[in-house]
Amino acid sequence: MADKILSDDPLIRSMSYQTALSAFGEGTFLTGEAVFFTKIVGLEATQVGVGLTIAGIATFLVAVPLGKAADRFGTRRTWIVGSFVQALLFASWLLTSGFWSFLAVTVALELVQTWLRAGRNAYALDAFPREARVRSLAYMRASRNFGYTLGAAACGLALASDNETAIKALPLATAVILLANTYWISRLPRLASETARQKEEYAAPKVSALKNRPFLVTMVLCGILGTHSVLLNTVVPLWLITQTDAPKVLLAWLIGTNTVLAVGLQVLAVRGVHDVTTSLAAQRRGAACFIASCGIILITHDTAGWATIGLVWLGHVALTGAELFQSAGKWGFHAELTSTEQRGEYQGAAQLGYTLGTVFAPATYTFLATEWGAAGWLSIAAVILAAAVGIHPAARSAERYLARARQSSAPAGGAAADLPRGEPPTLWPHST
């Protein structure tokens, strides 16, 4: 089981540790941010919601420019500088008072995190050879889930004390952890591909990622298939409380089950995913799990007692399967359908498309499930089926688009240009 959670590759292992550290820091604050904003900053719940919405709109509008900026500044450097600024912004929560300072920090933090994620994701894709990319991202996803769990537990201790000083310490603790995370990132090796981009050795004209419409469509459909998170975090809990006789304490068991499975099985779920064909197969498996969960959960409206508990739990396990397989397919698309010369920009475009594919889900799915009952669950399943069918021609079209772009940028009489792969993982650790 150890090799399913910790890789024997030194670079994957180091980046997994870094991911867990980052998630531990972020999870420590994010778990208790609602309490901090209302009790310490003095905001109303509606003000928190408005601020987060404005920040979300801002990042949506500039995701692609921020990704392009990461390419120009250097994806590794973006990751390091962005992580450092992120730590400072978390510390600045201690200085906020009232809505406008809250809004300023919230927007700044969302923009910086979008920028650094573009750099981080581009670095992760460049760091490993093609056949190891999806597997490496799976290790990091498992580590991130583990880190968030530790952060939530640490925050829980602070909240349980009901002590204002302990609550005020949350953003400071997060900032300290994220500063350590910044140092860890700075110790990761420079990549040959990064050096090539910075030297502008590949000076062929670049077409904006936004003009790659098949890729954007693929990401939108990928986002729709990724709305399992809406069911996991919102719809199923509401359904359990309002439409079934299951005890509310079951919610804790559902969250625990999801966390354990996500940490323990993510690497197994990506096995064999290395190109567009296998990524599409992973998306099909994820969609099948998603649809199965809808069929299982809709039954629980008419069951009672242990039957309800067992079926809700089984439906939640199926949703976790959807999460694991859909993530595997998404990473495959990121690795195979993005230009090596514009990694950061394509990460921004991917986030834009993915957001478009998910933004409708919270309100729509909640209404369908709670108001339409069985017909609503079947409608949700139909949406997922349509996305699973549509993503195949979209991904193939994106694959052909990228092949044509590479061919057009190839030297006369030569093969299509491609950036050098990253330095071998065995070079870890390196001083910078």
Side-chain angles (χ1 to χ4, degrees):
M1 174 62 81
D3 64 334
K4 302 295 188 299
I5 301 176
L6 292 176
S7 172
D8 56 359
D9 184 299
L11 184 55
I12 294 179
R13 187 180 287 251
S14 181
M15 291 180 70
S16 296
Y17 289 154
Q18 176 276 318
T19 300
L21 181 64
S22 171
F24 175 50
E26 293 175 11
T28 298
F29 180 77
L30 295 179
T31 303
E33 66 175 1
V35 176
F36 182 87
F37 292 147
T38 55
K39 190 171 183 177
I40 305 301
V41 182
L43 301 175
E44 299 291 335
T46 53
Q47 291 178 306
V48 175
V50 169
L52 294 175
T53 299
I54 292 173
I57 293 171
T59 54
F60 176 79
L61 294 175
V62 299
V64 176
L66 287 174
K68 187 179 294 187
D71 283 326
R72 292 179 177 176
F73 188 65
T75 53
R76 177 177 173 274
R77 189 186 301 169
T78 291
W79 191 12
I80 295 171
V81 174
S83 297
F84 178 74
V85 176
Q86 179 193 30
L88 297 183
L89 287 171
F90 269 104
S92 73
W93 283 125
L94 292 173
L95 304 177
T96 57
S97 176
F99 176 74
W100 293 109
S101 59
F102 159 76
L103 180 62
V105 175
T106 298
V107 172
L109 189 57
E110 285 295 319
L111 293 177
V112 167
Q113 289 180 150
T114 299
W115 184 54
L116 77 85
R117 278 195 295 266
R120 179 196 67 198
N121 294 344
Y123 180 95
L125 290 174
D126 279 342
F128 302 101
R130 178 184 179 188
E131 64 275 6
R133 285 173 183 159
V134 176
R135 178 171 169 267
S136 67
L137 292 172
Y139 279 111
M140 291 170 211
R141 172 67 174 271
S143 299
R144 179 161 294 277
N145 281 324
F146 180 71
Y148 274 128
T149 301
L150 292 181
C155 180
L157 293 175
L159 296 179
S161 69
D162 198 27
N163 184 291
E164 188 171 298
T165 301
I167 297 173
K168 285 182 176 179
L170 290 176
L172 185 60
T174 292
V176 170
I177 295 169
L178 292 180
L179 285 175
N181 171 63
T182 301
Y183 174 74
W184 194 301
I185 298 168
S186 72
R187 299 290 296 174
L188 295 173
R190 291 187 175 91
L191 303 178
S193 54
E194 180 77 7
T195 303
R197 273 194 290 263
Q198 290 175 338
K199 291 181 178 178
E200 297 182 346
E201 293 178 3
Y202 299 90
K206 298 180 179 66
V207 178
S208 170
L210 288 177
K211 293 186 177 181
N212 187 343
R213 293 179 182 175
F215 177 76
L216 290 175
V217 172
T218 301
M219 289 297 102
V220 170
L221 294 172
C222 197
I224 294 173
L225 293 170
T227 54
H228 48 73
S229 61
V230 176
L231 262 62
L232 284 166
N233 299 323
T234 305
V235 180
V236 170
L238 288 173
W239 174 266
L240 183 147
I241 293 170
T242 64
Q243 305 294 324
T244 78
D245 66 342
K248 295 180 178 62
V249 70
L250 179 60
L251 290 173
W253 287 99
L254 296 179
I255 294 171
T257 297
N258 175 260
T259 300
V260 170
L261 293 179
V263 172
L265 299 181
Q266 184 65 82
V267 176
L268 186 62
V270 305
R271 181 173 293 176
V273 179
H274 58 83
D275 57 16
V276 174
T277 298
T278 51
S279 297
L280 287 170
Q283 294 288 10
R284 289 195 298 272
R285 290 192 290 270
C289 290
F290 200 136
I291 293 169
S293 71
C294 292
I296 294 169
I297 294 173
L298 73 84
I299 300 172
T300 60
H301 183 269
D302 300 314
T303 57
W306 285 104
T308 302
I309 293 173
L311 287 171
V312 170
W313 181 83
L314 184 61
H316 215 261
V317 170
L319 275 175
T320 302
E323 175 187 352
L324 297 176
F325 290 123
Q326 187 272 332
S327 296
K330 179 181 69 173
W331 298 330
F333 294 148
H334 280 225
E336 293 297 304
L337 300 179
T338 59
S339 169
T340 54
E341 298 178 40
Q342 298 165 273
R343 288 286 195 205
E345 184 177 349
Y346 266 84
Q347 291 305 309
Q351 180 174 330
L352 181 69
Y354 200 86
T355 301
L356 287 172
T358 57
V359 68
F360 77 96
T364 303
Y365 286 2
T366 300
F367 172 80
L368 289 173
T370 58
E371 298 297 327
W372 286 16
W377 284 106
L378 293 175
S379 298
I380 294 171
V383 170
I384 299 306
L385 179 61
V389 172
I391 201 169
H392 284 71
R396 291 303 185 188
S397 181
E399 188 177 31
R400 291 191 295 271
Y401 181 98
L402 193 60
R404 290 194 299 269
R406 285 171 175 164
Q407 188 63 39
S408 65
S409 64
D418 195 8
L419 291 173
R421 304 301 183 195
E423 297 174 354
T426 51
L427 293 178
W428 167 263
H430 267 276
S431 57
T432 54

